Amino acid sequence: EIFFRGLNGSELEQIATNACRKAEFDFEEEVPKIVSNYANNGRDAVNIVQTSASLATLEARNIITIEDIENVLDFGRYTKKLDKKVSEGKKVGIVNGLAVFGGGAGSILEIEAITLKTDLAGMGTIKVTGIIEEEELSNHGGKMKRKSTAKASVENVITVLKNETALPVKDFDVHINFPGGMPVDGPSAGVAIFTAVYSSLCKKEISTKIAMTGEVTINGNVAPVGGVASKIEAAIEAGIDKVLIPKENWQKAFANYKIEVIPIETVQQALKEVFGIDILPLTIKNNILGNQAEILTAKGSQDNLN
């Protein structure tokens, strides 16, 4: 756990079970599962169990109940980890991003985008919801505050969309939502935000079996981010088939993972991997009707010009 990788849910459950047995306490069936939903590492799991055992001892009980665990979680202000499982299908404007929480545990982060044509050209607005603007982190007796950069990342994405796709983004109201209300590291979600907005603008479906992480620069490059190994592990647990990561984050070990890990350098490569077609370079017809946009290949554009 310390030197190689974070622990997954089943491993944390086993640690909680072992902690109960080592303390010679019985426990209600769901106790290990609840502990694993909140513990970021093995130490967290053991601490939750030990504190719960103390509560049981005070009441002269030899069994740890769900209520004991819940009291400890409330008092300790533990945050439940996202444990998302993806299903088969395709959706417009919805992308599986990847995040790291707490002690480095990875998680799937669903990102939604809706775009609506404005009545007046060039009067589109941008709205970002569902994020915690600021979080306070405690570690080894110290405290620090971290502000979300999600909104700044969205502005970068809008710039890239205009430069790389020629889509008239200013003619649309763009609403981006991060369901769940959580701290979001904007840059890490950049490529996912870009793909979600592109999908909504062009009404192109995205497979629920794809996830991605990476920062997007205003030149359309995908820059490296942190916690990639933990994010890939989370994708595997969630049932993802393909993960897109920045090329600079690539490690040889990723080639041996159970899922397809694809390094990318640009947003164009991301779109090609997601939608399965070669759309480089990107152009767009001027006859956009509502939210529909016909995307052409370079060859198709030249044929129309001729």
Side-chain angles (χ1 to χ4, degrees):
E1 177 187 359
I2 296 174
F3 298 105
F4 298 99
R5 62 171 176 81
L7 300 178
N8 60 40
S10 60
E11 291 167 336
L12 289 170
E13 282 187 52
Q14 187 61 55
I15 289 175
T17 299
N18 293 343
C20 290
R21 291 172 177 167
K22 186 174 182 179
E24 299 183 348
F25 274 82
D26 293 328
F27 53 91
E28 293 183 347
E29 184 178 355
E30 291 298 312
V31 163
K33 178 63 175 177
I34 295 173
V35 172
S36 73
N37 287 338
Y38 287 84
N40 290 310
N41 49 54
R43 179 173 293 182
D44 278 352
V46 172
N47 288 342
I48 293 170
V49 169
Q50 289 178 338
T51 308
S52 300
S54 297
L55 293 179
T57 300
L58 289 174
E59 297 182 2
R61 288 184 283 107
N62 196 45
I63 182 171
I64 297 174
T65 66
I66 293 175
E67 185 177 359
D68 293 330
I69 298 294
E70 290 175 342
N71 287 335
V72 172
L73 295 175
D74 288 341
F75 183 77
R77 296 184 179 180
Y78 287 90
T79 302
K80 186 175 182 180
K81 297 181 297 184
L82 297 179
D83 187 19
K84 181 178 174 61
K85 300 292 184 182
V86 299
S87 57
E88 295 282 353
K90 294 184 178 181
K91 299 178 181 179
V92 172
I94 299 179
V95 175
N96 292 316
L98 294 168
V100 174
F101 297 98
S107 181
I108 294 292
L109 174 66
E110 192 173 79
I111 298 172
E112 303 173 324
I114 291 179
T115 54
L116 301 173
K117 191 74 177 292
T118 58
D119 295 330
L120 297 176
M123 298 299 291
T125 60
I126 300 172
K127 180 187 295 184
V128 181
T129 56
I131 61 172
I132 294 176
E133 293 289 347
E134 182 176 286
E135 65 173 332
E136 186 175 275
L137 306 174
S138 299
N139 190 23
H140 303 298
K143 292 185 177 180
M144 64 173 288
K145 290 185 177 180
R146 182 176 70 183
K147 291 187 176 181
S148 170
T149 56
K151 290 186 176 179
S153 185
V154 169
E155 292 176 0
N156 286 354
V157 164
I158 297 302
T159 297
V160 175
L161 277 165
K162 290 186 289 187
N163 289 344
E164 298 292 325
T165 69
L167 288 166
V169 184
K170 287 188 176 182
D171 294 343
F172 293 82
D173 289 327
V174 180
H175 185 175
I176 299 166
N177 183 49
F178 299 85
M182 65 197 72
V184 175
D185 181 8
S188 183
V191 69
I193 296 170
F194 174 88
T195 305
V197 176
Y198 178 90
S199 169
S200 180
L201 285 168
C202 300
K203 297 304 180 195
K204 286 182 171 292
E205 294 181 329
I206 302 171
S207 171
T208 57
K209 292 290 189 173
I210 295 176
M212 61 192 71
T213 185
E215 179 178 359
V216 171
T217 72
I218 59 174
N219 293 315
N221 296 320
V222 179
V225 294
V228 171
S230 295
K231 292 174 180 178
I232 297 174
E233 291 286 348
I236 293 172
E237 279 203 70
I240 296 294
D241 292 333
K242 180 192 292 188
V243 175
L244 309 184
I245 67 170
K247 185 175 182 180
E248 291 185 49
N249 285 123
W250 173 258
Q251 300 176 21
K252 288 185 178 180
F254 295 160
N256 300 321
Y257 277 41
K258 298 178 182 178
I259 60 177
E260 189 178 8
V261 182
I262 300 175
I264 57 173
E265 293 183 279
T266 65
V267 292
Q268 291 95 338
Q269 288 177 325
L271 295 180
K272 182 177 180 180
E273 291 292 341
V274 171
F275 300 112
I277 56 174
D278 190 353
I279 50 177
L280 307 176
L282 298 174
T283 57
I284 187 171
K285 281 187 174 180
N286 294 323
N287 61 340
I288 297 177
L289 301 176
N291 283 357
Q292 298 293 329
E294 183 178 354
I295 306 300
L296 306 174
T297 63
K299 182 178 184 302
S301 300
Q302 187 63 42
D303 290 342
N304 281 329
L305 290 175
N306 293 337

